[in-house]
Amino acid sequence: MRAFISSLALILSALPGLAFEIEEHVQFPAANQTDELRVISTADADLFTPFITAFQALNPGVAVDYYVVSSSEIMVALQDEGERFDLAISSAMDLQIKLANDGLALPYRSGATGSLPEWARWRDRVFAFTQEPATMVLSRADFADIDLPRTRQELITALRDHPDRFRGRIGTYDVRESGLGYLFATQDGRTSETYWRLAQVMGGLQTQLYRGSSDMIEDVASGRIAVAYNVLGSYAQVREDLHDRIHIIAPEDFTTVMMRTVLIPANAETPEAAGRFIDHLIETAWTEGGGRFAFPGITPARLSENASLRPIQLGPGLLVYLDRLKRRQFIEEWEAAMVQPG
Amino acid sequence: MWPFRAPGSIRLRLTLQLLTGAAVMALVLFLIVYSFARQIGAESQDRILSASATSILDATTVQSGNISVDIPYSAFTMLDNSVDDRVFYRITQDGDGLTGYDDLPSARQDQGTGPAFDTVTYRGEELRIATLTRRVSVGGTPTRIDVTVGQTRDAQADVLARILRMTVLLGFGFFAASALLAILAGRSTAASLSRLAESVSRRGPQDLRPVVAEVPSEMRPLVTSLNSLIARLSAALTRTEDFIAEAAHRVRTPLATVRAHGENTLRRVSKEENRVSLREMIRAIDESSRAAGQLLDHAMVSLRADQLELSPVALRPLVADLVDRLRPVAELKDMDLRFEVSEEQEVMGDTILIQNAVRNLLDNAIKYAPPETPIDVSLTREGAGATLTIRDQGIGFPATGADALTGRFARGENATGVIGSGLGLTIADEVARAHGGTLTIANIEGGPGACVRLSLPLR
């Protein structure tokens, strides 16, 4: 299948006429094209390619135009610009819910969506197909002589005990830039006060702010930073080449679990093919298991295995932190804690 | 068809009335339950919307001269439901949007500070909204905060649809149960009527006892009337029979006396013209006596034929006895009355009626046949019937309209000069019919004389 793929990456460049910022654009042409799926997604193209090639094997004739953007740019593209996309795949569950709630998503029902548990779909518009934990990624070198922290409290202790080692070498999402980072931070803050204490400590040590998980993982591996907090576990898990240099730790006090979701935007032109793609995503995630694809599928067993896993619930509650005033207050508080003059 | 318009059947009418009642009740039940459920559904949504708005309003504070709204997470999660209704909200300060969906309308508040509710169309969907207002003071200036929370009504519609299905089932179940009861009620009512009808129609013709069937109290007047009718009918019948017997006695006896006197006088009178008169008189008396007898016979036949009481009748002794009794009369005209019979024939019938019929037929034969001719009487079996055949060598029946002679008082046009009332054949015919038999009259082919055949079904 890879023979059909011609990849062209336009990193951090905008196509003419598109007002939103595109990080990567990959085309998966079809031999006898009948449909074209324009996909806007937050998932890195190389992580998502296996899904698309498997889909094209089953649906020859469907070309896929894959745009990688940040989660907030999906909102810009769909809500503000009214761009035409057939699928929106995002890790920012709150923004996906908002799109559906505001009427910018089309309903879709099929046998596959019907098989999803109640908590993995919302309004027959938003469908979850992965569950990915927010983890701490630690550098093996820097934690060689320190007990590995298993909880946030232990991380706070480790940071406080070795301020010189970690000063300027902690990374986390810039919640002002990253929708997923904001989602993780707000859920952390909602779940436990420990988050704010950790933020204070991190802020005091001049934490580096990032826009994506991949950069944090690579920086931990390269030794540029020693601790990355709230990194997507799924991204870290697939970087097997780095596993000898990093620890991936799901905090045992609680691990926030994000569900990657897909929806069909209201102005989709090929919603029928988009529906087939959703079916494919759900079926793959449910039946293939974690081995073959980068994204672990949703199984109820995975949730009950570990009581500290706290999946973020799909629902109107996610709209709360998108409130203008609420967001402003949260960011003010976050900045006060995290961005301290060094 | 309007069911209360009396149709032909009580059962049908009763069943239709009960069914209509059941349908109306089921409909009323359905409407009450459905509107109640609808109201409860709307109220519960209003309560949740109101609670959500309240929790937002409670999180609205004034911080260093500014309005601060810290929407609690639960304010929206409490609105989460199984069908994932869409949620919208808006917070305004003195009508200016602070946060939320700026184009969301708010519910008009008429009075007080209680929550106001409204149903609006927003973004193409029907939305239930609740608006709460609170006045706060910002730096000494009173300001008004409005919180509006809205939610689509899919969950409510979903619940309503389920309740609707259940209520429809309930209504149909109720109707079906009522319909079953209605049919049973109709059947049992009709059954008591048909029991009565059966007990009346099952009785024998002579059974004029009062009806004693068990009937519902409503039908007792009917039974009472019926019994009183039976009693009157029974009395009338008894009176008629008594009258017939009495009349036979009263008419025949004096006529016999008069005739005896006439005969005596005739013997004593020698003057030829007086004798002629007396003979005329005796002849008239005979005619009257005979007519009276036949009239009474006919009345008796009519009466008994209406309430035929069947018993086995052996025809041979019956006919033989009558032949013996009439032989003296026949010998007066020098006629030979012969009776041939090969075997016994037994029929089901009324002895008195059959006697009457046979006597009248024999009487006719003797009367209308010329003197010194034989009359042959035979009893044979023909198929499923016993046939009595009487042949004479008389004038026979008129060529035209032999059948018309069985009519009442009809006499053959060739029968003038012979005493007769014209009732003889009528009586025989009525007896034959009452027994399911036939009377056929014909002239003997190729010779003088008539042939009368009375056929009665064998036992």
Side-chain angles (χ1 to χ4, degrees):
Chain A
M1 286 301 115
R2 285 193 179 262
F4 291 109
I5 301 164
S6 78
S7 172
L8 100 119
L10 302 166
I11 296 173
L12 293 175
S13 74
L15 287 179
L18 296 183
F20 58 97
E21 202 170 272
I22 295 167
E23 293 176 6
E24 200 178 355
H25 177 208
V26 188
Q27 286 178 317
F28 300 83
N32 298 306
Q33 180 177 330
T34 54
D35 283 316
E36 187 198 31
L37 270 182
R38 275 164 63 88
V39 183
I40 187 164
S41 169
T42 60
D44 291 351
D46 47 349
L47 283 174
F48 216 74
T49 298
F51 280 105
I52 295 170
T53 52
F55 173 74
Q56 285 185 318
L58 297 170
N59 298 274
V62 180
V64 178
D65 221 358
Y66 192 81
Y67 292 85
V68 181
V69 299
S70 78
S71 52
S72 46
E73 289 304 313
I74 292 185
M75 289 304 279
V76 174
L78 296 180
Q79 185 178 263
D80 304 337
E81 307 292 330
E83 287 293 337
R84 197 281 272 181
F85 282 102
D86 302 305
L87 280 172
I89 297 166
S90 175
S91 50
M93 297 162 68
D94 47 357
L95 296 175
Q96 297 279 85
I97 290 288
K98 185 164 171 59
L99 280 174
N101 189 64
D102 292 2
L104 296 172
L106 293 179
Y108 174 67
R109 287 179 197 86
S110 71
T113 68
S115 72
L116 281 179
E118 188 68 15
W119 49 264
R121 56 188 151 107
W122 195 75
R123 235 184 125 65
D124 290 322
R125 285 164 173 79
V126 181
F127 307 100
F129 63 98
T130 70
Q131 55 174 29
E132 300 169 49
T135 59
M136 308 189 288
V137 173
L138 309 176
S139 134
R140 281 181 188 269
D142 288 293
F143 282 85
D145 54 343
I146 307 175
D147 285 344
L148 269 183
R150 294 284 167 194
T151 64
R152 287 175 182 75
Q153 192 55 52
E154 288 173 16
L155 179 63
I156 291 171
T157 309
L159 296 182
R160 277 187 180 148
D161 289 352
H162 306 86
D164 297 331
R165 182 182 301 186
F166 295 119
R167 190 176 308 279
R169 296 187 65 224
I170 307 167
T172 192
Y173 273 109
D174 186 343
V175 303
R176 298 164 296 190
E177 299 284 331
S178 161
L180 178 61
Y182 182 71
L183 177 66
F184 279 155
T186 52
Q187 292 293 326
D188 278 1
R190 191 171 81 84
T191 306
S192 168
E193 278 300 311
T194 318
Y195 173 73
W196 291 111
R197 287 210 302 282
L198 177 62
Q200 283 288 346
V201 172
M202 287 165 73
L205 294 171
Q206 284 89 49
T207 292
Q208 308 283 316
L209 298 177
Y210 288 79
R211 292 176 64 151
S213 282
S214 305
D215 295 344
M216 278 190 266
I217 294 161
E218 277 175 18
D219 281 0
V220 172
S222 71
R224 219 173 79 77
I225 57 172
V227 176
Y229 178 72
N230 269 354
V231 176
L232 267 182
S234 50
Y235 280 40
Q237 210 69 50
V238 292
R239 293 301 298 270
E240 286 173 5
D241 53 324
L242 307 177
H243 282 189
D244 57 337
R245 280 171 281 167
I246 59 171
H247 294 289
I248 306 165
I249 290 167
E252 285 170 10
D253 47 347
F254 66 90
T255 304
T256 307
V257 179
M258 171 274 287
M259 290 188 284
R260 204 173 284 272
T261 56
V262 58
L263 58 79
I264 306 175
N267 52 7
E269 277 177 13
T270 56
E272 192 268 328
R276 288 209 303 274
F277 195 88
I278 289 177
D279 289 349
H280 169 72
L281 274 185
I282 292 170
E283 277 156 16
T284 309
W286 278 84
T287 57
E288 298 285 335
R292 186 166 161 195
F293 295 118
F295 301 102
I298 304 162
T299 61
R302 287 173 72 88
L303 281 182
S304 53
E305 267 169 23
N306 191 340
S308 65
L309 292 178
R310 289 186 62 103
I312 302 171
Q313 301 295 317
L314 280 175
L318 289 172
L319 298 175
V320 168
Y321 283 100
L322 296 179
D323 178 69
R324 281 200 295 273
L325 297 181
K326 187 93 178 172
R327 180 178 167 90
R328 197 168 70 205
Q329 281 164 23
F330 185 87
I331 296 222
E332 276 170 12
E333 255 181 277
W334 180 86
E335 280 176 338
M338 198 66 87
V339 190
Q340 294 173 15
Chain B
M1 182 188 73
W2 179 240
F4 294 106
R5 270 292 216 333
S9 145
I10 285 185
R11 173 175 163 183
L12 184 65
R13 189 164 80 195
L14 185 66
T15 308
L16 279 179
Q17 281 172 353
L18 288 173
L19 280 180
T20 311
V24 169
M25 290 292 287
L27 190 67
V28 167
L29 180 78
F30 165 77
L31 288 177
I32 288 176
V33 172
Y34 187 65
S35 67
F36 193 56
R38 194 187 173 89
Q39 194 182 338
I40 288 191
E43 278 173 8
S44 70
Q45 191 182 26
D46 285 356
R47 264 198 304 279
I48 297 175
L49 284 173
S50 171
S52 172
T54 305
S55 72
I56 294 173
L57 211 48
D58 287 346
T60 306
T61 51
V62 181
Q63 283 180 356
S64 53
N66 280 318
I67 296 290
S68 160
V69 184
D70 185 16
I71 301 174
Y73 207 68
S74 60
F76 291 166
T77 51
M78 75 169 74
L79 295 171
D80 202 4
N81 56 35
S82 60
V83 300
D84 304 322
D85 269 310
R86 295 163 72 180
V87 171
F88 301 99
Y89 69 102
R90 183 188 186 204
I91 303 166
T92 59
Q93 177 182 6
D94 292 330
D96 298 329
L98 270 181
T99 186
Y101 294 78
D102 287 334
D103 52 347
L104 182 70
S106 51
R108 225 192 348 269
Q109 278 182 307
D110 294 331
Q111 79 276 342
T113 54
F117 302 99
D118 201 357
T119 305
V120 299
T121 302
Y122 179 67
R123 300 197 180 197
E125 270 203 82
E126 195 176 83
L127 212 63
R128 185 73 178 164
I129 56 171
T131 299
L132 252 77
T133 300
R134 184 170 294 173
R135 292 183 189 284
V136 294
S137 172
V138 181
T141 318
T143 182
R144 173 191 157 120
I145 306 293
D146 287 308
V147 174
T148 301
V149 179
Q151 189 180 29
T152 49
R153 315 184 80 172
D154 297 352
Q156 210 193 323
D158 193 49
V159 169
L160 269 182
R162 266 187 292 146
I163 289 175
L164 182 67
R165 276 199 297 279
M166 201 197 68
T167 319
V168 166
L169 279 181
L170 183 75
F172 268 112
F174 180 84
F175 180 72
S178 307
L180 192 67
L181 289 176
I183 289 167
L184 289 179
R187 185 173 294 178
S188 100
T189 307
S192 49
L193 275 173
S194 64
R195 257 204 314 278
L196 176 63
E198 201 183 327
S199 85
V200 172
S201 65
R202 207 175 35 217
R203 9 182 84 212
Q206 297 298 310
D207 188 355
L208 291 175
R209 286 170 304 158
V211 175
V212 290
E214 283 291 322
V215 291
S217 59
E218 288 81 358
M219 280 164 58
R220 270 184 213 135
L222 172 65
V223 172
T224 309
S225 311
L226 188 62
N227 282 342
S228 127
L229 179 66
I230 290 173
R232 274 181 282 143
L233 179 65
S234 178
L237 283 174
T238 312
R239 268 204 307 278
T240 310
E241 279 181 16
D242 288 352
F243 172 77
I244 290 169
E246 189 70 17
H249 180 68
R250 294 268 172 115
V251 171
R252 276 173 171 167
T253 314
L255 281 178
T257 311
V258 171
R259 191 183 193 282
H261 281 297
E263 293 266 356
N264 280 338
T265 312
L266 181 62
R267 255 182 256 124
R268 286 200 303 265
V269 172
S270 51
K271 210 174 176 181
E272 189 53 31
E273 57 193 67
N274 288 347
R275 288 179 69 92
V276 168
S277 294
L278 274 172
R279 270 194 212 98
E280 283 293 319
M281 194 176 81
I282 288 167
R283 198 178 119 89
I285 289 168
D286 280 348
E287 198 164 345
S288 299
S289 172
R290 191 187 154 77
Q294 276 194 329
L295 273 174
L296 292 174
D297 276 355
H298 182 252
M300 183 66 81
V301 165
S302 297
L303 190 73
R304 295 186 76 97
D306 282 345
Q307 302 165 30
L308 197 63
E309 214 167 355
L310 298 176
S311 57
V313 177
L315 286 181
R316 185 161 65 168
L318 186 145
V319 177
D321 183 46
L322 286 169
V323 167
D324 287 346
R325 269 204 259 164
L326 288 170
R327 187 161 284 128
V329 182
E331 282 168 357
L332 284 179
K333 289 177 74 178
D334 291 326
M335 299 168 104
D336 190 8
L337 192 56
R338 293 182 296 216
F339 178 41
E340 282 174 29
V341 63
S342 54
E343 53 179 328
E344 178 57 281
Q345 308 288 345
E346 199 174 56
V347 297
M348 289 302 288
D350 185 321
T351 312
I352 293 173
L353 290 186
I354 297 174
Q355 274 178 343
N356 252 313
V358 175
R359 192 177 59 234
N360 274 287
L361 289 177
L362 289 174
D363 197 42
N364 267 359
I366 295 169
K367 193 159 47 166
Y368 292 108
E372 297 169 21
T373 54
I375 295 172
D376 290 310
V377 178
S378 65
L379 187 58
T380 53
R381 175 184 298 234
E382 284 184 12
T387 301
L388 179 74
T389 311
I390 301 170
R391 293 161 186 270
D392 63 33
Q393 293 176 11
I395 50 175
F397 298 107
T400 54
D403 286 341
L405 292 178
T406 54
R408 231 177 250 188
F409 308 112
R411 301 190 67 205
E413 55 201 19
N414 50 359
T416 41
V418 180
I419 298 171
S421 64
L423 279 174
L425 284 175
T426 309
I427 290 168
D429 188 49
E430 280 185 4
V431 169
R433 281 176 202 271
H435 287 79
T438 54
L439 178 76
T440 48
I441 53 179
N443 288 323
I444 296 169
E445 280 193 34
C451 174
V452 176
R453 296 156 64 90
L454 174 67
S455 291
L456 296 173
L458 279 169
R459 183 183 177 184

